[in-house]
Amino acid sequence: MQTKITLFTLLPFLILLVGCKSSKVRNDSIEGTWESIGYGEILKINANSYEYFDITDFSCLPTKEGNISEITKTMQVSNDTLIVKRGFNIYRYVRIKKLPELCQQNINAKNDISYNFEVFANTYKNHYAYFDLNKIDWDNLYINSKNKINSKSTDVDLYLVMEDMIEKLKDNHGSIKPTNDVYESAEKRIQPKLVEQESEELKEYGDFEIADIVADYYLKEDLTKDTWLIKWGKMEKNVGYIQIKTMFLYADLNLNDSLVKVNGFVPTYLDAFNNLNQEQQISKEVTGISKLMDIIIQDLKETKHIIIDVRFNGGGQDVVALEILRQFNSDRKQIALKKARYNHGYTIKTPIYLEAAKNPYIKPVYLLTSQQSASATDMMALSSMELTQFKRIGSHTNGAISDALLKTLPNGWHFSLSNEVYTYKNDKCYENIGVPVNYELNYPNDRQTFFRSVANNLEKDKEKVLSAINELQSK
């Protein structure tokens, strides 16, 4: 017997199917409220906008908002987990039902000294990755620091307590940035009265200054063009030389020349850079350094080997360091793993890869490093360990390898801390100890002592480097 199926008969099934479809769309959509795994963030995404919040155990502070079009290209949902990719970094968020009540409360004590201290301390308690490595008794440090804060404490007192905590934590990426007035008042308090010195004061060099001095001395044929951030060319005997001052500032931001003239390049650049979202920042930095490196490799492709000097490079962005290194890599390879502090453990490990160049420079490369080679420059040195044509000369790097987790206090001050652990093969971590060299030149630990030792005898410095290369080549 054939049964006639009517619309009325199908209605319950249609309702069920529609309901299932709606549920799937909702779960696969980036819209909703998300909590980061390991980074102390809440992300709320609506149909047309997004908003980030920094969250601790007892605070929730809005930090950034914008149009949804700024972030969608780097996001996808998998198994109800939001995955955000920025450069080689992968961040994961879990969906939560609604914005926590803390995020919806009006804060009446944004400038309260004790409240700001607790937000700062709680962020460190939840996210600092090196309590064990640096043998830190957190409970003791927290109580002793908290006891220095009372009802009569000022912003200057708060700043000095935080600075003291960061120093005791031995945090390579720990920093606190108060207002200019607070900083200047604190400096006056801690600086001893200036005493006239009979002897002549020793010359002090800036990172960029000493880098320029060395590059100008090393280069027989200067091929540098259209930048002041990198110098390159040829030394004697067809040896290539690249002096990289920083792993930052390479984006083309169409800066106003008059503003640069009044405020300086770096402040003007930072103002424009901070108006971009993180995805735009990364993209523009990588594009800028990639264009430069294409020119540099083309100029130096016929050299018999290349020296890359990052001894005076204090860092910047890891993506810039890896884009430079990519020009010397012929096949994609894993160079490190990273994980972030999360609850009483860590997030899952994220592998980091060095991509390959179409026409890489595969002849020998000698990477000059020192204890002043820090942060993203640490990352370059760490990654170079996977490139067989690379040898490192000088002294171990600084050992500030973790990314800086950027946060904002209720009073508007910005601070940062080290919340990640980068490891090489066999879970080897080079935080604090730095990435070792293949040929040790025993540079002084002190920054200015090292800079002066180089500047005062440039020929001796160059001879040591070239002698080290000769010995490495003979082995």
Side-chain angles (χ1 to χ4, degrees):
M1 178 179 176
Q2 189 174 12
T3 304
K4 187 176 182 181
I5 300 176
T6 65
L7 181 60
F8 180 79
T9 308
L10 286 174
L11 189 58
F13 297 100
L14 291 172
I15 292 173
L16 180 61
L17 288 172
V18 171
C20 290
K21 185 177 180 181
S22 298
S23 175
K24 185 176 181 181
V25 170
R26 183 169 62 251
N27 288 337
D28 288 346
S29 172
I30 67 170
E31 289 185 41
T33 305
W34 304 88
E35 183 172 0
S36 69
I37 301 175
Y39 290 84
E41 276 187 342
I42 296 288
L43 171 58
K44 184 178 180 181
I45 303 177
N46 296 321
N48 300 309
S49 64
Y50 71 90
E51 187 171 14
Y52 279 101
F53 300 82
D54 279 345
I55 188 165
T56 68
D57 292 349
F58 48 82
S59 65
C60 181
L61 307 165
T63 57
K64 186 176 180 60
E65 61 183 355
N67 189 283
I68 194 172
S69 62
E70 298 174 358
I71 61 175
T72 51
K73 291 182 180 179
T74 61
M75 294 180 174
Q76 67 179 52
V77 176
S78 176
N79 296 326
D80 226 24
T81 298
L82 179 68
I83 299 173
V84 180
K85 294 183 179 181
R86 299 188 188 118
F88 61 75
N89 293 304
I90 297 176
Y91 303 97
R92 294 174 174 84
Y93 296 72
V94 293
R95 193 188 296 275
I96 57 178
K97 291 182 178 180
K98 62 178 182 178
L99 202 62
E101 290 185 11
L102 278 172
C103 305
Q104 304 175 59
Q105 296 174 355
N106 291 323
I107 302 173
N108 297 319
K110 286 186 177 181
N111 295 313
D112 182 82
I113 301 296
S114 295
Y115 180 54
N116 279 274
F117 171 81
E118 293 296 349
V119 171
F120 175 84
N122 193 252
T123 303
Y124 259 98
K125 177 185 176 182
N126 291 339
H127 297 287
Y128 185 51
Y130 296 103
F131 288 121
D132 292 337
L133 180 67
N134 293 331
K135 297 178 173 60
I136 304 299
D137 182 346
W138 169 254
D139 290 338
N140 184 58
L141 176 60
Y142 167 72
I143 292 170
N144 288 338
S145 301
K146 183 177 181 178
N147 288 340
K148 296 176 183 178
I149 301 294
N150 55 53
S151 60
K152 296 182 180 180
S153 296
T154 65
D155 284 345
V156 174
D157 297 324
L158 175 64
Y159 168 64
L160 292 174
V161 167
M162 291 176 174
E163 278 282 12
D164 182 64
M165 290 180 72
I166 292 171
E167 183 176 352
K168 286 183 168 63
L169 286 161
K170 304 172 188 176
D171 185 359
N172 291 316
H173 272 123
S175 67
I176 178 75
K177 186 178 180 181
T179 62
N180 290 335
D181 289 343
V182 170
Y183 177 78
E184 290 170 3
S185 297
E187 284 293 291
K188 290 178 182 178
R189 184 185 299 185
I190 62 178
Q191 289 289 341
K193 291 183 179 180
L194 295 176
V195 179
E196 291 185 5
Q197 299 180 357
E198 294 181 3
S199 60
E200 184 180 351
E201 291 186 0
L202 295 172
K203 163 71 176 174
E204 292 201 355
Y205 294 91
D207 295 10
F208 290 177
E209 180 184 11
I210 186 65
D212 276 338
I213 291 171
V214 171
D216 289 342
Y217 191 82
Y218 274 42
L219 288 173
K220 180 180 179 181
E221 181 183 357
D222 191 344
L223 300 175
T224 308
K225 44 187 167 291
D226 300 327
T227 184
W228 57 274
L229 300 170
I230 301 180
K231 284 192 173 183
W232 69 92
K234 297 178 183 179
M235 299 171 64
E236 296 83 355
K237 300 181 180 179
N238 196 32
V239 173
Y241 178 82
I242 306 172
Q243 169 69 260
I244 305 170
K245 298 180 188 176
T246 181
M247 303 298 182
F248 182 44
L249 307 174
Y250 294 99
D252 182 2
L253 302 179
N254 296 314
L255 300 181
N256 186 301
D257 290 339
S258 60
L259 286 177
V260 172
K261 187 174 182 180
V262 173
N263 301 322
F265 177 82
V266 175
T268 306
Y269 183 97
L270 289 175
D271 285 344
F273 190 75
N274 290 332
N275 286 329
L276 304 175
N277 62 54
Q278 291 179 310
E279 290 73 25
Q280 292 170 326
Q281 291 174 348
I282 290 172
S283 175
K284 287 181 177 292
E285 283 284 341
V286 171
T287 298
I289 189 62
S290 179
K291 288 180 180 178
L292 266 179
M293 288 305 300
D294 285 343
I295 296 169
I296 293 170
I297 296 300
Q298 181 64 28
D299 285 349
L300 302 182
K301 66 179 182 180
E302 301 300 332
T303 55
K304 66 178 183 179
H305 59 253
I306 287 177
I307 297 170
I308 300 178
D309 196 344
V310 291
R311 291 177 293 175
F312 319 107
N313 189 322
Q317 294 204 30
D318 287 346
V319 289
V320 170
L322 294 191
E323 182 59 27
I324 293 170
L325 212 57
R326 186 182 68 83
Q327 299 284 348
F328 304 89
N329 185 36
S330 57
D331 58 276
R332 186 175 189 259
K333 52 176 62 74
Q334 183 178 315
I335 50 175
L337 291 165
K338 67 179 287 189
K339 58 185 179 182
R341 169 83 187 286
Y342 179 52
N343 290 335
H344 299 293
Y346 295 91
T347 59
I348 62 174
K349 294 178 180 179
T350 299
I352 302 170
Y353 294 91
L354 182 63
E355 302 298 332
K358 290 183 179 179
N359 298 297
Y361 185 99
I362 57 174
K363 287 178 275 189
V365 179
Y366 300 94
L367 185 65
L368 307 187
T369 66
S370 76
Q371 293 94 324
Q372 308 310 315
S373 306
S375 191
T377 314
D378 277 303
M379 187 62 186
M380 172 185 270
L382 178 69
S383 304
S384 75
M385 297 172 76
E386 278 297 309
L387 298 177
T388 56
Q389 82 269 36
F390 267 69
K391 299 294 182 184
R392 292 170 306 285
I393 296 171
S395 289
H396 65 79
T397 60
N398 184 272
I401 302 177
S402 167
D403 290 353
L405 179 63
L406 304 177
K407 293 293 180 180
T408 304
L409 291 175
N411 63 11
W413 298 358
H414 300 292
F415 71 105
S416 63
L417 65 151
S418 301
N419 73 312
E420 295 177 330
V421 177
Y422 281 78
T423 54
Y424 187 56
K425 292 178 179 177
N426 302 321
D427 278 340
K428 178 68 176 178
C429 176
Y430 290 99
E431 191 78 16
N432 291 350
I433 62 175
V435 178
V437 292
N438 300 102
Y439 194 102
E440 179 64 60
L441 292 179
N442 298 306
Y443 292 141
N445 291 326
D446 179 73
R447 180 170 174 269
Q448 286 300 324
T449 302
F450 168 51
F451 289 178
R452 284 192 287 266
S453 72
V454 173
N456 291 342
N457 200 331
L458 291 165
E459 183 59 29
K460 183 179 180 181
D461 175 67
K462 187 171 78 169
E463 285 179 358
K464 283 184 175 181
V465 169
L466 296 178
S467 177
I469 291 173
N470 289 334
E471 284 197 41
L472 288 170
Q473 289 175 338
S474 65
K475 291 182 179 180

